[in-house]
Amino acid sequence: MTDAQETAADTSLRTTGGAPPDDVAPAPIPLLEPREGIPPVVASDDALARVISAFAAGSGPVAVDAERASGYRYGQRAYLVQLRRDGAGSALIDPVGCPDLSGLGSVLSGSEWILHAATQDLPCLREIGMTPTGLFDTELAGRLAGFPRVGLGAMVENVLGYSLEKGHSAVDWSTRPLPDPWLRYAALDVELLIDLRNALEEELDRQGKLEWAREEFDAIASAPPAPPRKDPWRRTSGMHKVRRRRQMAVVRELWTTRDQVARRRDVSPGKVLSDAAIVEAALALPPNTQALTALPGFGHRMGRRQLEQWQAAVDRAKALPDSELPQPGQALTGPPPPRAWADKDPAAAARLSAARAAVSELAARLNMPQENLITPDTVRRVCWEPPKHPTPDTVETALAGYGARHWQIDQVAPLLVRALAATA
């Protein structure tokens, strides 16, 4: 731990000012306004070409954000992309009218992109041809710097002293035309990202964590797209109530049918049929549509054709031979749940307890969340199957094999070596 990090651990983070005296009312926080007004929405090739030219001529990092229609539409596609760059101003681009932004992505290649919670937006940006080669994640920077609240509004308020307008984050961004208040909200999301990035870089540097942050940002930018999730139906909310394999088959059939309908209609699956309704049908195994109608989620408002569709899915699951029924759970690819360690391997449980305590104490000293210091899964894996001889080299190799970054290995490996040795 460097002197700068020791100092940071005992120093409150920089905000817009200390608490006012008891007899002085705090000054109101000014509401942020777009500096150049609300930019027009770009929805044609000609308008996009002008934006590409302007941003190519701009300088410095590029603030980027995207709005999706989660809970309204199928999938996680972008319905609005916001950008800002010095010399180019702000731009709002409609990916429905301009579905291919690879030309914009090309001119911005090599520039640093500033995003807030980058992993949320990168998949939908990648779909339309925009992939950064380098980035700065202001949310992750806030976590590493120890801010207790890392939402964009809280960060802008605490670091820069402005209040962002709230209220439109969960609207249906597939709406056309987009109302002006929504566009104003969207433009403000990138208005101060560059200023926020610069202030956070300064704070991270003061705490001796800037190189750590850069490693994290590089890891995000270079990470490949996540592979498709295996058996996504198993993530149905309330699945823990479903115990029998035949009931699991009903969940699978209903989930798959719902997904097909939602994809075809381009609506959120939850608007087609709720998870709760799927679980109710799986538990009840209704023999016909009349019995299905009596279940929560399949009431009188549902049309006959829909009821027949869901009952057909239930019947298909009920007709499956035992050999085609899903197994009770997915095969574990890692350690068992920690609650089972004491019975399965008391020595491993002791190692995990010691390691967790050490990591928790270090995270507190470094003023950052434990999961950002090292993922809990990595600690569990090292403790469940430790190196035969837990030396600094072997533990560092094990951590690297699980994807830990260099800075994480430097900080955590000595703790794990001691924890493994003390419980050997």
Side-chain angles (χ1 to χ4, degrees):
M1 193 173 187
T2 65
D3 290 341
Q5 291 151 16
E6 292 278 9
T7 301
D10 297 323
T11 305
S12 60
L13 290 163
R14 180 171 57 84
T15 64
T16 53
D22 292 340
D23 58 344
V24 177
I29 298 175
L31 185 67
L32 184 64
E33 296 287 344
R35 279 172 266 193
E36 300 101 14
I38 303 173
V41 177
V42 173
S44 68
D45 291 342
D46 288 345
L48 178 60
R50 290 191 290 273
V51 167
I52 291 174
S53 177
F55 275 77
S59 61
V62 185
V64 183
D65 190 26
E67 305 295 347
R68 299 176 297 281
S70 303
Y72 297 94
R73 295 288 183 173
Y74 185 87
Q76 294 294 315
R77 67 168 294 185
Y79 282 95
L80 189 69
V81 175
Q82 309 101 281
L83 305 101
R84 185 174 181 85
R85 191 179 198 184
D86 287 346
S90 295
L92 301 178
I93 303 176
D94 178 4
V96 177
C98 301
D100 181 6
L101 299 188
S102 57
L104 179 60
S106 294
V107 301
L108 298 180
S109 179
S111 301
E112 179 188 86
W113 295 19
I114 309 169
L115 298 103
H116 193 81
T119 54
Q120 295 182 20
D121 287 340
L122 288 179
C124 69
L125 290 170
R126 189 180 290 116
E127 288 180 356
I128 53 178
M130 295 186 65
T131 303
T133 52
L135 61 84
F136 190 106
D137 186 333
T138 49
E139 191 229 27
L140 181 52
R143 291 180 183 277
L144 295 175
F147 281 81
R149 297 167 59 223
V150 293
L152 181 59
M155 295 290 289
V156 167
E157 185 173 316
N158 290 336
V159 178
L160 301 177
Y162 286 95
S163 176
L164 283 179
E165 183 176 318
K166 302 177 178 67
H168 301 303
S169 60
V171 299
D172 181 3
W173 287 97
S174 68
T175 300
R176 293 296 183 272
L178 287 165
D180 281 350
W182 298 13
L183 295 174
R184 180 176 178 275
Y185 165 91
L188 290 174
D189 271 358
V190 293
E191 184 81 14
L192 290 181
L193 266 186
I194 297 173
D195 300 298
L196 181 61
R197 172 241 181 267
N198 293 339
L200 288 172
E201 181 180 61
E202 180 182 322
E203 179 64 24
L204 288 167
D205 189 37
R206 186 186 70 80
Q207 295 189 24
K209 299 175 181 175
L210 183 56
E211 290 306 316
W212 301 359
R214 286 172 175 160
E215 275 196 62
E216 294 297 301
F217 302 155
D218 288 345
I220 294 173
S222 61
R229 181 175 283 121
K230 183 181 179 182
D231 292 344
W233 59 270
R234 292 185 184 271
R235 294 177 63 86
T236 302
S237 180
M239 189 69 191
H240 63 281
K241 302 175 186 176
V242 181
R243 304 287 186 181
R244 292 156 49 193
R245 294 174 64 199
R246 185 72 57 186
Q247 295 172 331
M248 292 180 186
V250 172
V251 173
R252 182 175 63 185
E253 284 294 332
L254 285 171
W255 189 98
T256 302
T257 301
R258 180 184 70 174
D259 192 66
Q260 293 167 347
V261 172
R263 184 189 296 269
R264 185 175 68 248
R265 291 170 49 190
D266 189 20
V267 297
S268 170
K271 290 187 174 295
V272 176
L273 187 68
S274 70
D275 279 10
I278 290 177
V279 171
E280 289 289 343
L283 295 176
L285 297 175
N288 50 49
T289 54
Q290 183 177 357
L292 183 67
T293 306
L295 298 177
F298 297 93
H300 62 279
R301 294 183 180 180
M302 188 171 286
R304 179 179 174 182
R305 289 182 61 185
Q306 289 177 294
L307 287 168
E308 290 175 347
Q309 169 182 258
W310 304 129
Q311 184 62 44
V314 173
D315 292 342
R316 285 195 300 272
K318 290 166 67 175
L320 287 174
D322 288 351
S323 60
E324 295 181 20
L325 296 178
Q327 294 301 316
Q330 296 171 294
L332 289 173
T333 57
R339 63 180 179 273
W341 285 33
D343 292 330
K344 290 178 177 291
D345 189 338
R351 290 193 294 267
L352 182 61
S353 178
R356 280 175 161 176
V359 169
S360 177
E361 190 274 336
L362 177 59
R365 278 195 285 126
L366 294 176
N367 198 21
M368 70 170 65
Q370 294 181 44
E371 62 269 20
N372 291 115
L373 174 58
I374 191 72
T375 67
D377 181 67
T378 297
V379 175
R380 287 194 295 268
R381 288 174 183 269
V382 172
C383 290
W384 184 252
E385 293 184 0
K388 185 175 182 180
H389 301 290
T391 66
D393 286 344
T394 60
V395 171
E396 288 175 9
T397 300
L399 289 170
Y402 293 128
R405 262 70 74 188
H406 294 299
W407 75 270
Q408 294 176 316
I409 294 171
D410 290 343
Q411 294 296 316
V412 173
L415 307 181
L416 295 185
V417 171
R418 288 195 292 271
L420 298 177
T423 56

